[in-house]
Coordinates of all heavy atoms in Angstrom, one line a residue:
V239 N -175.2 -252.0 -84.6 CA -173.9 -251.6 -84.0 C -173.2 -250.5 -84.7 O -172.8 -249.5 -84.1 CB -173.0 -252.8 -83.8 CG1 -171.6 -252.4 -83.4 CG2 -173.6 -253.8 -82.9
L240 N -173.2 -250.5 -86.0 CA -172.5 -249.4 -86.8 C -173.3 -248.1 -86.6 O -172.7 -247.1 -86.5 CB -172.4 -249.8 -88.2 CG -171.4 -250.9 -88.6 CD1 -171.4 -251.3 -90.0 CD2 -170.0 -250.4 -88.2
S241 N -174.6 -248.2 -86.7 CA -175.4 -247.0 -86.5 C -175.2 -246.4 -85.1 O -175.1 -245.1 -85.0 CB -176.9 -247.3 -86.7 OG -177.2 -247.8 -88.0
A242 N -175.2 -247.2 -84.1 CA -174.9 -246.7 -82.8 C -173.5 -246.1 -82.7 O -173.4 -245.0 -82.1 CB -175.1 -247.8 -81.7
A243 N -172.5 -246.7 -83.3 CA -171.2 -246.1 -83.3 C -171.1 -244.8 -84.0 O -170.5 -243.8 -83.5 CB -170.2 -247.1 -84.0
V244 N -171.8 -244.6 -85.1 CA -171.9 -243.3 -85.8 C -172.6 -242.3 -85.0 O -172.1 -241.1 -84.8 CB -172.6 -243.5 -87.2 CG1 -172.9 -242.1 -87.8 CG2 -171.8 -244.3 -88.1
I245 N -173.7 -242.6 -84.3 CA -174.4 -241.7 -83.4 C -173.5 -241.2 -82.3 O -173.3 -240.0 -82.0 CB -175.7 -242.3 -82.9 CG1 -176.7 -242.4 -84.1 CG2 -176.3 -241.4 -81.8 CD1 -177.9 -243.2 -83.8
V246 N -172.9 -242.2 -81.6 CA -172.0 -241.8 -80.5 C -170.8 -241.0 -81.0 O -170.4 -240.0 -80.3 CB -171.5 -243.1 -79.8 CG1 -170.4 -242.8 -78.8 CG2 -172.6 -243.8 -79.1
G247 N -170.2 -241.4 -82.1 CA -169.1 -240.6 -82.7 C -169.5 -239.2 -83.0 O -168.8 -238.2 -82.7
C248 N -170.7 -239.0 -83.5 CA -171.2 -237.6 -83.8 C -171.4 -236.8 -82.5 O -171.1 -235.6 -82.5 CB -172.5 -237.7 -84.6 SG -172.3 -238.2 -86.3
I249 N -171.9 -237.4 -81.5 CA -172.1 -236.8 -80.2 C -170.8 -236.4 -79.6 O -170.6 -235.2 -79.1 CB -172.9 -237.6 -79.2 CG1 -174.3 -237.8 -79.7 CG2 -172.9 -237.1 -77.8 CD1 -175.2 -238.8 -79.0
V250 N -169.8 -237.3 -79.7 CA -168.4 -237.0 -79.1 C -167.8 -235.8 -79.9 O -167.3 -234.9 -79.3 CB -167.6 -238.2 -79.2 CG1 -166.1 -237.9 -78.9 CG2 -168.0 -239.2 -78.2
L251 N -167.9 -235.8 -81.2 CA -167.3 -234.8 -82.1 C -168.0 -233.4 -81.8 O -167.4 -232.4 -81.7 CB -167.4 -235.1 -83.5 CG -166.4 -236.2 -84.0 CD1 -166.7 -236.5 -85.5 CD2 -165.0 -235.7 -83.9
D252 N -169.4 -233.5 -81.7 CA -170.1 -232.2 -81.4 C -169.7 -231.7 -80.0 O -169.5 -230.5 -79.9 CB -171.6 -232.5 -81.4 CG -172.4 -231.3 -81.2 OD1 -172.3 -230.3 -81.9 OD2 -173.2 -231.2 -80.2
N253 N -169.6 -232.5 -79.0 CA -169.2 -232.0 -77.7 C -167.8 -231.5 -77.7 O -167.5 -230.5 -77.1 CB -169.3 -233.1 -76.7 CG -170.7 -233.3 -76.2 OD1 -171.5 -232.4 -76.3 ND2 -171.0 -234.5 -75.8
A254 N -166.9 -232.1 -78.5 CA -165.5 -231.6 -78.6 C -165.5 -230.2 -79.2 O -164.7 -229.3 -78.8 CB -164.7 -232.6 -79.4
Q255 N -166.3 -230.0 -80.3 CA -166.3 -228.7 -81.0 C -167.2 -227.7 -80.3 O -166.8 -226.5 -80.2 CB -166.8 -228.9 -82.4 CG -166.7 -227.7 -83.2 CD -167.1 -227.9 -84.7 OE1 -167.4 -229.0 -85.1 NE2 -167.0 -226.9 -85.5
N256 N -168.3 -228.0 -79.8 CA -169.3 -227.1 -79.4 C -169.6 -227.1 -77.9 O -170.3 -226.2 -77.4 CB -170.6 -227.2 -80.1 CG -170.5 -227.0 -81.6 OD1 -169.8 -226.1 -82.0 ND2 -171.1 -227.9 -82.4
G257 N -169.1 -228.1 -77.2 CA -169.4 -228.2 -75.7 C -169.0 -227.0 -74.9 O -169.8 -226.6 -74.0
K258 N -167.9 -226.4 -75.2 CA -167.5 -225.2 -74.4 C -168.5 -224.0 -74.6 O -168.4 -223.1 -73.8 CB -166.1 -224.8 -74.9 CG -166.0 -224.3 -76.3 CD -164.5 -223.9 -76.6 CE -164.4 -223.4 -78.0 NZ -163.0 -223.1 -78.4
Y259 N -169.3 -224.0 -75.6 CA -170.2 -222.9 -75.8 C -171.6 -223.1 -75.2 O -172.3 -222.1 -75.1 CB -170.5 -222.7 -77.3 CG -169.2 -222.3 -78.1 CD1 -168.6 -223.2 -79.0 CD2 -168.7 -221.0 -78.0 CE1 -167.5 -222.8 -79.7 CE2 -167.6 -220.6 -78.7 CZ -167.0 -221.5 -79.6 OH -165.9 -221.1 -80.3
R260 N -171.9 -224.3 -74.7 CA -173.2 -224.6 -74.2 C -173.6 -223.9 -72.9 O -174.7 -223.6 -72.6 CB -173.4 -226.1 -74.1 CG -173.5 -226.7 -75.5 CD -174.2 -228.0 -75.5 NE -174.3 -228.5 -76.8 CZ -173.4 -229.3 -77.4 NH1 -172.4 -229.7 -76.7 NH2 -173.6 -229.7 -78.7
N261 N -172.6 -223.7 -72.0 CA -172.8 -223.2 -70.7 C -172.0 -221.9 -70.4 O -171.0 -221.7 -71.0 CB -172.5 -224.3 -69.6 CG -173.3 -225.5 -69.7 OD1 -174.6 -225.4 -69.8 ND2 -172.7 -226.7 -69.8
P262 N -172.6 -221.1 -69.5 CA -171.8 -219.9 -69.1 C -170.4 -220.3 -68.6 O -170.3 -221.4 -68.0 CB -172.7 -219.3 -68.1 CG -174.0 -219.8 -68.3 CD -173.9 -221.2 -68.8
V263 N -169.5 -219.4 -68.7 CA -168.1 -219.6 -68.2 C -168.0 -218.8 -66.9 O -168.8 -217.9 -66.6 CB -167.0 -219.3 -69.2 CG1 -167.1 -220.1 -70.4 CG2 -167.1 -217.8 -69.6
E264 N -166.9 -219.1 -66.2 CA -166.7 -218.4 -64.9 C -166.0 -217.0 -65.3 O -165.0 -217.0 -66.0 CB -165.8 -219.2 -64.0 CG -165.6 -218.5 -62.6 CD -164.7 -219.3 -61.7 OE1 -164.8 -220.6 -61.9 OE2 -164.1 -218.8 -60.9
I265 N -166.5 -216.0 -64.7 CA -165.8 -214.7 -64.9 C -164.9 -214.5 -63.6 O -165.3 -214.5 -62.5 CB -166.8 -213.5 -64.9 CG1 -167.9 -213.7 -66.0 CG2 -166.1 -212.2 -65.0 CD1 -167.3 -213.6 -67.4
S266 N -163.6 -214.4 -63.9 CA -162.6 -214.4 -62.8 C -162.2 -213.0 -62.3 O -161.2 -212.9 -61.7 CB -161.4 -215.2 -63.2 OG -160.8 -214.6 -64.4
F267 N -163.0 -212.0 -62.7 CA -162.7 -210.6 -62.2 C -163.9 -209.9 -61.9 O -165.0 -210.3 -62.2 CB -161.9 -209.9 -63.3 CG -162.6 -209.8 -64.6 CD1 -163.6 -208.8 -64.9 CD2 -162.4 -210.7 -65.7 CE1 -164.3 -208.7 -66.1 CE2 -163.1 -210.7 -66.9 CZ -164.0 -209.7 -67.1
T268 N -163.7 -208.8 -61.1 CA -164.8 -207.9 -60.8 C -164.4 -206.5 -61.3 O -163.3 -206.1 -61.1 CB -165.0 -207.9 -59.3 OG1 -165.3 -209.2 -58.8 CG2 -166.2 -207.0 -58.9
I269 N -165.3 -205.8 -61.9 CA -165.0 -204.5 -62.4 C -165.2 -203.5 -61.2 O -166.3 -203.4 -60.7 CB -165.9 -204.1 -63.6 CG1 -165.6 -205.1 -64.7 CG2 -165.8 -202.7 -64.0 CD1 -166.6 -204.9 -65.9
A270 N -164.2 -202.7 -60.9 CA -164.2 -201.8 -59.9 C -164.4 -200.3 -60.4 O -164.9 -199.5 -59.7 CB -162.9 -201.8 -59.0
D271 N -163.9 -200.1 -61.6 CA -164.0 -198.7 -62.2 C -163.9 -198.8 -63.7 O -163.4 -199.8 -64.3 CB -162.8 -197.9 -61.6 CG -162.9 -196.4 -61.9 OD1 -164.1 -196.0 -62.1 OD2 -161.9 -195.7 -61.8
T272 N -164.4 -197.8 -64.3 CA -164.3 -197.6 -65.8 C -163.9 -196.2 -66.2 O -164.0 -195.3 -65.4 CB -165.7 -197.9 -66.5 OG1 -166.6 -197.0 -66.1 CG2 -166.2 -199.3 -66.2
K273 N -163.3 -196.1 -67.4 CA -162.8 -194.8 -67.9 C -162.9 -194.8 -69.4 O -162.4 -195.8 -70.0 CB -161.4 -194.6 -67.5 CG -160.8 -193.3 -68.0 CD -159.3 -193.2 -67.6 CE -158.7 -191.9 -68.3 NZ -157.3 -191.9 -68.1
E274 N -163.6 -193.8 -69.9 CA -163.7 -193.7 -71.4 C -162.4 -193.5 -72.0 O -161.5 -192.8 -71.5 CB -164.7 -192.6 -71.8 CG -165.0 -192.6 -73.2 CD -166.1 -191.6 -73.6 OE1 -166.9 -191.2 -72.7 OE2 -166.2 -191.2 -74.8
I275 N -162.2 -194.2 -73.2 CA -160.9 -194.1 -73.9 C -161.2 -193.4 -75.3 O -162.3 -193.5 -75.8 CB -160.2 -195.4 -74.0 CG1 -161.0 -196.5 -74.7 CG2 -159.7 -195.9 -72.7 CD1 -160.3 -197.8 -75.0
D276 N -160.2 -192.9 -75.8 CA -160.3 -192.2 -77.1 C -160.3 -193.3 -78.2 O -159.3 -194.1 -78.4 CB -159.1 -191.3 -77.3 CG -159.1 -190.5 -78.7 OD1 -160.2 -190.5 -79.3 OD2 -158.1 -190.0 -79.1
I277 N -161.3 -193.3 -79.0 CA -161.4 -194.2 -80.1 C -161.4 -193.5 -81.5 O -161.7 -194.1 -82.5 CB -162.7 -195.1 -80.0 CG1 -163.9 -194.3 -80.1 CG2 -162.6 -196.0 -78.8 CD1 -165.2 -195.1 -80.2
S278 N -161.0 -192.3 -81.5 CA -161.1 -191.5 -82.7 C -160.1 -192.0 -83.8 O -160.4 -191.7 -85.0 CB -160.8 -190.0 -82.4 OG -159.5 -189.8 -81.9
K279 N -159.1 -192.6 -83.4 CA -158.1 -193.1 -84.4 C -158.3 -194.6 -84.7 O -157.4 -195.3 -85.3 CB -156.7 -192.9 -83.9 CG -156.4 -191.4 -83.8 CD -155.0 -191.1 -83.4 CE -154.7 -189.7 -83.6 NZ -154.4 -189.0 -82.4
T280 N -159.5 -195.1 -84.4 CA -159.8 -196.5 -84.7 C -160.8 -196.6 -85.8 O -161.3 -195.6 -86.3 CB -160.4 -197.3 -83.4 OG1 -161.6 -196.7 -83.1 CG2 -159.4 -197.1 -82.2
N281 N -161.2 -197.8 -86.1 CA -162.2 -198.1 -87.2 C -163.5 -198.3 -86.5 O -164.3 -199.2 -87.0 CB -161.7 -199.2 -88.0 CG -161.5 -200.5 -87.2 OD1 -161.4 -200.5 -86.0 ND2 -161.3 -201.6 -87.9
A282 N -163.9 -197.6 -85.5 CA -165.1 -197.8 -84.7 C -166.4 -197.7 -85.6 O -167.3 -198.5 -85.4 CB -165.2 -196.8 -83.6
A283 N -166.4 -196.9 -86.6 CA -167.6 -196.7 -87.4 C -167.8 -198.0 -88.2 O -169.0 -198.3 -88.5 CB -167.4 -195.6 -88.4
D284 N -166.8 -198.8 -88.6 CA -167.0 -200.0 -89.3 C -167.8 -201.1 -88.4 O -168.4 -202.0 -89.0 CB -165.6 -200.7 -89.6 CG -164.9 -199.8 -90.6 OD1 -165.5 -198.9 -91.3 OD2 -163.7 -200.1 -90.8

């Protein structure tokens, strides 16, 4: 019983922490256009 409780507890904790990463998420937008922006004053090289 204790072993089963530990296993179930680990599964529940893993799902709570990592469950959101397992499947793709819904993208709620569609890209209609793009425009290049100036990144010269950023740390892009890093």
Side-chain angles (χ1 to χ4, degrees):
V239 169
L240 288 175
S241 296
V244 168
I245 291 169
V246 169
C248 289
I249 291 169
V250 168
L251 286 174
D252 180 60
N253 282 335
Q255 183 176 1
N256 299 318
K258 66 182 180 180
Y259 294 109
R260 289 201 178 92
N261 296 309
V263 297
E264 184 179 332
I265 304 292
S266 60
F267 58 83
T268 302
I269 297 173
D271 194 19
T272 61
K273 178 183 172 189
E274 187 172 338
I275 58 176
D276 180 19
I277 60 170
S278 63
K279 294 184 173 113
T280 67
N281 56 348
D284 294 344

